[in-house]
Amino acid sequence: MANALEHAPTDNQEEYERDRESLSIPLLSSALSQRSIPNSSSQAAIVGSHVCPIESLDYEIFENEFFKQDWRSRGKSQIFQYIFMKWLTCFLIGLIVSLIGFCNNLAVENLAGVKFVVTSNMMLQHRYGMGFFVFFASNLVLTLFASTLTALIAPAAAGSGIPEVKAYLNGVDTPGIFSIRTLAVKIVGSITAVSSSLLVGKAGPMVHTGACIASLLGQGGSQKYNLTWKWLRFFKNDRDRRDLVTCGAAAGIAASFRAPVGGVLFAFEEMASWWRSALLWRAFFATAVVAIVLRALIDVCLSGKCGLFGTGGLIMFDVYSANISYHLVDVPPVLALGIVGGIIGSFYNFLLDKVLRLYNFINEKGVVYRILLACAISVFTSFLLFGLPFLASCQPCPPDATEACPTIGRSGNYKKFQCPPGHYNDLASLIFNTNDDAIRNLFSKGTDFEFQYSSVLIFFITCFFLSIFSYGICAPAGLFVPEIVTGASFGRFVGMLLGPHSNLNHGLYAVLGAASFIGGSMRMTVSLCVIILELTNNLLLLPLIMLVLLVSKTVADAFNGNIYDLIMKLKGLPYLETHVEPYMRQLTVGDVVTGPLQVFRGIEKVGNIVHILRSTKHNGFPVIDEPPVSQAPVLFGIILRAHLITLLKKKSFLATPVLTGSDAFKLYSSGDFAKRGSGNGEKLDDIEFTEEELEMFLDLHPFTNASPFTVVETMSLAKALILFREVGLRHLLVIPKICSRSPVVGILTRHDFMPEHILSLYPSLVRSRWKRLRIRLPRLTKIF
């Protein structure tokens, strides 16, 4: 074509075709992978969804003439309205997320509570078979409902959703993760899945729920279901919506644990790739709204208006408020707890990675297999949870018990199960409860002699493996709460082993064990420390929690990455890490940019635009000026595919190739080029053209970003990656160092920075990479 400059040699056409094809296939198909992993938008990648293309987001403002004109035309009242709407939207996010979090917890407590009450009544009548049937059937029905709802309506709602939200905040536009269907299935599916006694949590789904609400509010609702609010359509770019999604993620954690400060720090440490002080204030405001609303709702429940189990594990585990004292002799056991917790946490990540790969193989066969797998895990869980308490011996009720013993018909530390009057089953007290109540029992003070060694050990092993097997099913499922339960049982067991040799009680060891295990698996430090402090309501724990988190994270980092990064890699989400690989400093951007490059003239024929858009899948195109518009070929800027489709849809074409000047502002408005909601972009196939229209012209100058980020072709690839990630770019133009026939060499996108793509271009780097790893690992082994 006359307007297309091809810079790739003809003998590399086959290589280019393979590279262009790789833009729409899974990224994890490099030589390092033995099996292709589907590049999907959600946890459904693990449960066998269809492959879908992954695109990037434009977090850098697209500064064309329309954007500049829109900002120049804004008065003080409009600027105030824009700022006010940001704060109002954050308030709405906090309000809605807190209401959903409260209702979620209340529904789980009551659904699971009715199930446990009916089962306990059967056990009291010695109708063990009927009790098992009620327990088994209710769990199976709830799991079947959650998995069927997820598999048929919104596969993107499966899993915790944290990896998808984290990838979105990194700039990955995964379709379907913030739709209304995903939000509805996430809420309902999470309630039923957690109530079904599967060892899954609701904290991860709450993060995804908060992000969905923020995204929908940011784009003014959903056009697909005609649920839109014009007064909310103030945020017309990805940057504003990214900030709102960050606030939504922070609000989700705050609603899960009633930890507002921990929610802000979680969004900062684990989720966000970009952060600034203005965003910190708004996130803190949103989580403060969550804390205030939840406090008001909890007061309602304390009056007994929330059902039989409404005052159970409601949001907060306010279980450890006693004054504690510890000495220097207590530090070595805490250090050992951190080391072992780091090893166990990294081993947990290793096993979960293998199980998810196995589930992917099973669920690729179709929807029926996904549902059957979920039901099979539910059946296995029911048999295990009902049968294990029979292995524990009955214990006499302590004479100084602070609550009724045995516990009948409600949550508590002393479950009767099959025991005679005046006795309780300590293992049933942990298993026949919701996760929240189990955590409360493990964290509780003054209970050093209420649990047997064997019971706590059995409970730890059961939680460790059940949380791994339960996570990958096709249903909303979080990892945060299951890891707290698992870590707490591990810590409690260590405290029981130390016994009188330590000044710390068993409940404190349970808290430290939970911190150690989560630190070894999720690798969070500051945010997790604050979350645990807000959970336990005791600032005196701070030094010990800090110590155990630092040790467990350091040990676990020697073995593998954190669990969310492993899941993102399994999904094939092109997440850009904060660090650069050493081999990237050996390459320049010219080494990885590929062609041929498709460009447009400043004044382009409509037929050429339509042909290039139909023959390529690129989302950005350089715009160049050539004589007679300029004295020599010069790069004018870059234009987006979405903006080109908008221009073609309007059909305000020119009969002759002339500059439009200010007339373009009369034909279009800034709203025409505003960012659409996720998945709501215009499609070229919906536009029909006549032969006469294809011979007409478009002046692209007013719609082109005339100030794009550019790098010279000799720049280090490592520096280019830092620029690309820190600024939040979608396209990075590469210009020649020496003047040549073309003013632009190529475009770098997220795909060009992925290690899988770079190592496929330069296989020799693979050998040097593994050689460095072999040198480094023995050193790490000597250190630890």
mmCIF file of all heavy atoms in Angstrom, residues 717-748:
data_model
loop_
_atom_site.group_PDB
_atom_site.id
_atom_site.type_symbol
_atom_site.label_atom_id
_atom_site.label_comp_id
_atom_site.label_asym_id
_atom_site.label_seq_id
_atom_site.Cartn_x
_atom_site.Cartn_y
_atom_site.Cartn_z
ATOM 1 N N LEU A 717 16.752 -1.995 26.452
ATOM 2 C CA LEU A 717 15.403 -2.532 26.631
ATOM 3 C C LEU A 717 14.969 -2.417 28.090
ATOM 4 O O LEU A 717 13.792 -2.219 28.379
ATOM 5 C CB LEU A 717 15.357 -4.001 26.180
ATOM 6 C CG LEU A 717 13.985 -4.658 26.169
ATOM 7 C CD1 LEU A 717 13.043 -3.967 25.198
ATOM 8 C CD2 LEU A 717 14.105 -6.147 25.832
ATOM 9 N N ALA A 718 15.906 -2.520 29.014
ATOM 10 C CA ALA A 718 15.586 -2.392 30.442
ATOM 11 C C ALA A 718 15.069 -0.988 30.752
ATOM 12 O O ALA A 718 14.076 -0.823 31.465
ATOM 13 C CB ALA A 718 16.816 -2.708 31.279
ATOM 14 N N LYS A 719 15.721 0.045 30.214
ATOM 15 C CA LYS A 719 15.258 1.415 30.440
ATOM 16 C C LYS A 719 13.888 1.643 29.811
ATOM 17 O O LYS A 719 13.036 2.332 30.377
ATOM 18 C CB LYS A 719 16.262 2.411 29.875
ATOM 19 C CG LYS A 719 17.553 2.520 30.672
ATOM 20 C CD LYS A 719 18.434 3.631 30.131
ATOM 21 C CE LYS A 719 19.692 3.791 30.979
ATOM 22 N NZ LYS A 719 20.560 4.893 30.467
ATOM 23 N N ALA A 720 13.690 1.094 28.624
ATOM 24 C CA ALA A 720 12.401 1.248 27.962
ATOM 25 C C ALA A 720 11.285 0.577 28.761
ATOM 26 O O ALA A 720 10.167 1.109 28.847
ATOM 27 C CB ALA A 720 12.463 0.652 26.555
ATOM 28 N N LEU A 721 11.573 -0.562 29.368
ATOM 29 C CA LEU A 721 10.581 -1.244 30.185
ATOM 30 C C LEU A 721 10.219 -0.401 31.404
ATOM 31 O O LEU A 721 9.034 -0.296 31.770
ATOM 32 C CB LEU A 721 11.114 -2.614 30.622
ATOM 33 C CG LEU A 721 10.253 -3.369 31.643
ATOM 34 C CD1 LEU A 721 8.849 -3.606 31.116
ATOM 35 C CD2 LEU A 721 10.907 -4.690 32.041
ATOM 36 N N ILE A 722 11.214 0.193 32.050
ATOM 37 C CA ILE A 722 10.940 1.042 33.217
ATOM 38 C C ILE A 722 10.050 2.214 32.815
ATOM 39 O O ILE A 722 9.075 2.545 33.503
ATOM 40 C CB ILE A 722 12.267 1.534 33.826
ATOM 41 C CG1 ILE A 722 13.058 0.351 34.394
ATOM 42 C CG2 ILE A 722 12.011 2.574 34.909
ATOM 43 C CD1 ILE A 722 14.450 0.693 34.852
ATOM 44 N N LEU A 723 10.363 2.845 31.691
ATOM 45 C CA LEU A 723 9.541 3.950 31.210
ATOM 46 C C LEU A 723 8.126 3.480 30.886
ATOM 47 O O LEU A 723 7.144 4.119 31.277
ATOM 48 C CB LEU A 723 10.188 4.567 29.962
ATOM 49 C CG LEU A 723 9.368 5.625 29.219
ATOM 50 C CD1 LEU A 723 9.192 6.858 30.096
ATOM 51 C CD2 LEU A 723 10.036 6.004 27.898
ATOM 52 N N PHE A 724 8.014 2.356 30.212
ATOM 53 C CA PHE A 724 6.714 1.836 29.789
ATOM 54 C C PHE A 724 5.828 1.534 30.990
ATOM 55 O O PHE A 724 4.649 1.880 31.014
ATOM 56 C CB PHE A 724 6.932 0.558 28.962
ATOM 57 C CG PHE A 724 5.705 0.073 28.239
ATOM 58 C CD1 PHE A 724 5.451 0.462 26.940
ATOM 59 C CD2 PHE A 724 4.817 -0.789 28.858
ATOM 60 C CE1 PHE A 724 4.332 0.016 26.269
ATOM 61 C CE2 PHE A 724 3.687 -1.241 28.203
ATOM 62 C CZ PHE A 724 3.451 -0.839 26.891
ATOM 63 N N ARG A 725 6.410 0.904 32.009
ATOM 64 C CA ARG A 725 5.616 0.500 33.169
ATOM 65 C C ARG A 725 5.296 1.667 34.093
ATOM 66 O O ARG A 725 4.162 1.812 34.546
ATOM 67 C CB ARG A 725 6.352 -0.584 33.955
ATOM 68 C CG ARG A 725 5.527 -1.193 35.080
ATOM 69 C CD ARG A 725 6.352 -2.139 35.920
ATOM 70 N NE ARG A 725 5.517 -2.877 36.852
ATOM 71 C CZ ARG A 725 5.090 -2.411 38.023
ATOM 72 N NH1 ARG A 725 5.429 -1.177 38.387
ATOM 73 N NH2 ARG A 725 4.339 -3.141 38.820
ATOM 74 N N GLU A 726 6.284 2.500 34.355
ATOM 75 C CA GLU A 726 6.083 3.570 35.332
ATOM 76 C C GLU A 726 5.104 4.624 34.833
ATOM 77 O O GLU A 726 4.353 5.199 35.612
ATOM 78 C CB GLU A 726 7.422 4.218 35.686
ATOM 79 C CG GLU A 726 8.382 3.303 36.429
ATOM 80 C CD GLU A 726 7.800 2.800 37.732
ATOM 81 O OE1 GLU A 726 7.112 3.578 38.421
ATOM 82 O OE2 GLU A 726 8.018 1.613 38.045
ATOM 83 N N VAL A 727 5.110 4.885 33.545
ATOM 84 C CA VAL A 727 4.198 5.884 32.990
ATOM 85 C C VAL A 727 2.829 5.276 32.723
ATOM 86 O O VAL A 727 1.827 5.977 32.722
ATOM 87 C CB VAL A 727 4.802 6.510 31.714
ATOM 88 C CG1 VAL A 727 3.862 7.559 31.118
ATOM 89 C CG2 VAL A 727 6.148 7.149 32.023
ATOM 90 N N GLY A 728 2.772 3.966 32.523
ATOM 91 C CA GLY A 728 1.503 3.312 32.219
ATOM 92 C C GLY A 728 1.137 3.426 30.755
ATOM 93 O O GLY A 728 0.014 3.804 30.401
ATOM 94 N N LEU A 729 2.079 3.092 29.891
ATOM 95 C CA LEU A 729 1.876 3.258 28.451
ATOM 96 C C LEU A 729 1.214 2.034 27.841
ATOM 97 O O LEU A 729 1.261 0.929 28.390
ATOM 98 C CB LEU A 729 3.212 3.502 27.750
ATOM 99 C CG LEU A 729 4.004 4.751 28.172
ATOM 100 C CD1 LEU A 729 5.318 4.811 27.426
ATOM 101 C CD2 LEU A 729 3.186 6.008 27.934
ATOM 102 N N ARG A 730 0.607 2.271 26.699
ATOM 103 C CA ARG A 730 0.096 1.183 25.877
ATOM 104 C C ARG A 730 0.946 1.025 24.613
ATOM 105 O O ARG A 730 1.120 -0.074 24.118
ATOM 106 C CB ARG A 730 -1.352 1.454 25.486
ATOM 107 C CG ARG A 730 -2.001 0.332 24.714
ATOM 108 C CD ARG A 730 -3.456 0.645 24.404
ATOM 109 N NE ARG A 730 -4.120 -0.472 23.771
ATOM 110 C CZ ARG A 730 -5.398 -0.455 23.390
ATOM 111 N NH1 ARG A 730 -6.134 0.625 23.595
ATOM 112 N NH2 ARG A 730 -5.940 -1.516 22.823
ATOM 113 N N HIS A 731 1.450 2.146 24.100
ATOM 114 C CA HIS A 731 2.304 2.144 22.914
ATOM 115 C C HIS A 731 3.521 3.016 23.178
ATOM 116 O O HIS A 731 3.406 4.096 23.770
ATOM 117 C CB HIS A 731 1.556 2.684 21.688
ATOM 118 C CG HIS A 731 0.288 1.955 21.380
ATOM 119 N ND1 HIS A 731 -0.950 2.460 21.715
ATOM 120 C CD2 HIS A 731 0.063 0.766 20.795
ATOM 121 C CE1 HIS A 731 -1.884 1.611 21.333
ATOM 122 N NE2 HIS A 731 -1.297 0.576 20.782
ATOM 123 N N LEU A 732 4.661 2.559 22.749
ATOM 124 C CA LEU A 732 5.906 3.307 22.857
ATOM 125 C C LEU A 732 6.568 3.318 21.486
ATOM 126 O O LEU A 732 6.985 2.267 20.985
ATOM 127 C CB LEU A 732 6.826 2.671 23.902
ATOM 128 C CG LEU A 732 8.147 3.389 24.192
ATOM 129 C CD1 LEU A 732 7.902 4.809 24.691
ATOM 130 C CD2 LEU A 732 8.963 2.604 25.221
ATOM 131 N N LEU A 733 6.642 4.500 20.866
ATOM 132 C CA LEU A 733 7.179 4.609 19.515
ATOM 133 C C LEU A 733 8.696 4.550 19.535
ATOM 134 O O LEU A 733 9.344 5.147 20.406
ATOM 135 C CB LEU A 733 6.715 5.909 18.868
ATOM 136 C CG LEU A 733 5.208 6.062 18.634
ATOM 137 C CD1 LEU A 733 4.896 7.403 17.998
ATOM 138 C CD2 LEU A 733 4.670 4.932 17.783
ATOM 139 N N VAL A 734 9.265 3.844 18.575
ATOM 140 C CA VAL A 734 10.713 3.719 18.422
ATOM 141 C C VAL A 734 11.126 4.515 17.194
ATOM 142 O O VAL A 734 10.604 4.284 16.090
ATOM 143 C CB VAL A 734 11.138 2.244 18.272
ATOM 144 C CG1 VAL A 734 12.648 2.139 18.128
ATOM 145 C CG2 VAL A 734 10.647 1.429 19.453
ATOM 146 N N ILE A 735 12.022 5.467 17.379
ATOM 147 C CA ILE A 735 12.468 6.314 16.280
ATOM 148 C C ILE A 735 13.923 5.982 15.955
ATOM 149 O O ILE A 735 14.675 5.503 16.801
ATOM 150 C CB ILE A 735 12.322 7.810 16.626
ATOM 151 C CG1 ILE A 735 13.125 8.158 17.877
ATOM 152 C CG2 ILE A 735 10.846 8.162 16.846
ATOM 153 C CD1 ILE A 735 13.102 9.639 18.222
ATOM 154 N N PRO A 736 14.357 6.235 14.722
ATOM 155 C CA PRO A 736 15.737 5.901 14.344
ATOM 156 C C PRO A 736 16.740 6.878 14.943
ATOM 157 O O PRO A 736 16.443 8.052 15.173
ATOM 158 C CB PRO A 736 15.705 6.003 12.814
ATOM 159 C CG PRO A 736 14.605 6.974 12.521
ATOM 160 C CD PRO A 736 13.569 6.750 13.596
ATOM 161 N N LYS A 737 17.943 6.388 15.189
ATOM 162 C CA LYS A 737 18.989 7.250 15.708
ATOM 163 C C LYS A 737 19.572 8.122 14.613
ATOM 164 O O LYS A 737 19.957 9.270 14.837
ATOM 165 C CB LYS A 737 20.098 6.392 16.348
ATOM 166 C CG LYS A 737 21.186 7.215 17.024
ATOM 167 C CD LYS A 737 22.174 6.329 17.759
ATOM 168 C CE LYS A 737 23.204 7.175 18.493
ATOM 169 N NZ LYS A 737 24.171 6.340 19.247
ATOM 170 N N ILE A 738 19.606 7.575 13.422
ATOM 171 C CA ILE A 738 20.109 8.306 12.261
ATOM 172 C C ILE A 738 18.951 8.519 11.300
ATOM 173 O O ILE A 738 18.120 7.619 11.097
ATOM 174 C CB ILE A 738 21.246 7.525 11.567
ATOM 175 C CG1 ILE A 738 22.383 7.258 12.571
ATOM 176 C CG2 ILE A 738 21.765 8.279 10.355
ATOM 177 C CD1 ILE A 738 23.483 6.389 12.002
ATOM 178 N N CYS A 739 18.850 9.690 10.726
ATOM 179 C CA CYS A 739 17.763 9.995 9.791
ATOM 180 C C CYS A 739 17.751 8.976 8.660
ATOM 181 O O CYS A 739 18.774 8.686 8.034
ATOM 182 C CB CYS A 739 17.940 11.400 9.215
ATOM 183 S SG CYS A 739 17.761 12.699 10.448
ATOM 184 N N SER A 740 16.601 8.430 8.428
ATOM 185 C CA SER A 740 16.452 7.429 7.377
ATOM 186 C C SER A 740 15.211 7.758 6.571
ATOM 187 O O SER A 740 14.606 8.821 6.706
ATOM 188 C CB SER A 740 16.340 6.032 7.998
ATOM 189 O OG SER A 740 15.196 5.972 8.839
ATOM 190 N N ARG A 741 14.807 6.806 5.753
ATOM 191 C CA ARG A 741 13.640 7.034 4.904
ATOM 192 C C ARG A 741 12.374 7.189 5.716
ATOM 193 O O ARG A 741 11.457 7.908 5.343
ATOM 194 C CB ARG A 741 13.498 5.856 3.928
ATOM 195 C CG ARG A 741 12.366 6.019 2.916
ATOM 196 C CD ARG A 741 12.430 4.922 1.888
ATOM 197 N NE ARG A 741 12.256 3.617 2.490
ATOM 198 C CZ ARG A 741 11.067 3.024 2.623
ATOM 199 N NH1 ARG A 741 9.983 3.638 2.227
ATOM 200 N NH2 ARG A 741 10.978 1.828 3.159
ATOM 201 N N SER A 742 12.297 6.530 6.887
ATOM 202 C CA SER A 742 11.104 6.592 7.720
ATOM 203 C C SER A 742 11.412 7.290 9.037
ATOM 204 O O SER A 742 12.483 7.086 9.626
ATOM 205 C CB SER A 742 10.584 5.177 8.008
ATOM 206 O OG SER A 742 9.556 5.225 8.965
ATOM 207 N N PRO A 743 10.505 8.148 9.508
ATOM 208 C CA PRO A 743 10.731 8.814 10.793
ATOM 209 C C PRO A 743 10.433 7.934 11.998
ATOM 210 O O PRO A 743 10.631 8.360 13.135
ATOM 211 C CB PRO A 743 9.760 9.995 10.736
ATOM 212 C CG PRO A 743 8.644 9.516 9.875
ATOM 213 C CD PRO A 743 9.271 8.610 8.844
ATOM 214 N N VAL A 744 9.940 6.725 11.799
ATOM 215 C CA VAL A 744 9.629 5.834 12.909
ATOM 216 C C VAL A 744 10.018 4.412 12.517
ATOM 217 O O VAL A 744 9.820 3.986 11.379
ATOM 218 C CB VAL A 744 8.124 5.909 13.279
ATOM 219 C CG1 VAL A 744 7.236 5.535 12.108
ATOM 220 C CG2 VAL A 744 7.809 5.024 14.477
ATOM 221 N N VAL A 745 10.615 3.692 13.472
ATOM 222 C CA VAL A 745 11.075 2.325 13.225
ATOM 223 C C VAL A 745 10.004 1.304 13.559
ATOM 224 O O VAL A 745 9.799 0.331 12.837
ATOM 225 C CB VAL A 745 12.356 2.036 14.037
ATOM 226 C CG1 VAL A 745 12.765 0.577 13.887
ATOM 227 C CG2 VAL A 745 13.466 2.953 13.590
ATOM 228 N N GLY A 746 9.283 1.522 14.655
ATOM 229 C CA GLY A 746 8.267 0.561 15.074
ATOM 230 C C GLY A 746 7.578 1.018 16.336
ATOM 231 O O GLY A 746 7.801 2.129 16.828
ATOM 232 N N ILE A 747 6.735 0.147 16.872
ATOM 233 C CA ILE A 747 5.994 0.419 18.096
ATOM 234 C C ILE A 747 6.242 -0.713 19.080
ATOM 235 O O ILE A 747 6.125 -1.887 18.732
ATOM 236 C CB ILE A 747 4.482 0.540 17.821
ATOM 237 C CG1 ILE A 747 4.196 1.695 16.882
ATOM 238 C CG2 ILE A 747 3.719 0.741 19.125
ATOM 239 C CD1 ILE A 747 2.719 1.876 16.578
ATOM 240 N N LEU A 748 6.590 -0.355 20.321
ATOM 241 C CA LEU A 748 6.707 -1.334 21.394
ATOM 242 C C LEU A 748 5.404 -1.387 22.169
ATOM 243 O O LEU A 748 4.843 -0.350 22.551
ATOM 244 C CB LEU A 748 7.839 -0.945 22.345
ATOM 245 C CG LEU A 748 9.278 -1.109 21.835
ATOM 246 C CD1 LEU A 748 10.256 -0.564 22.852
ATOM 247 C CD2 LEU A 748 9.580 -2.562 21.530
#
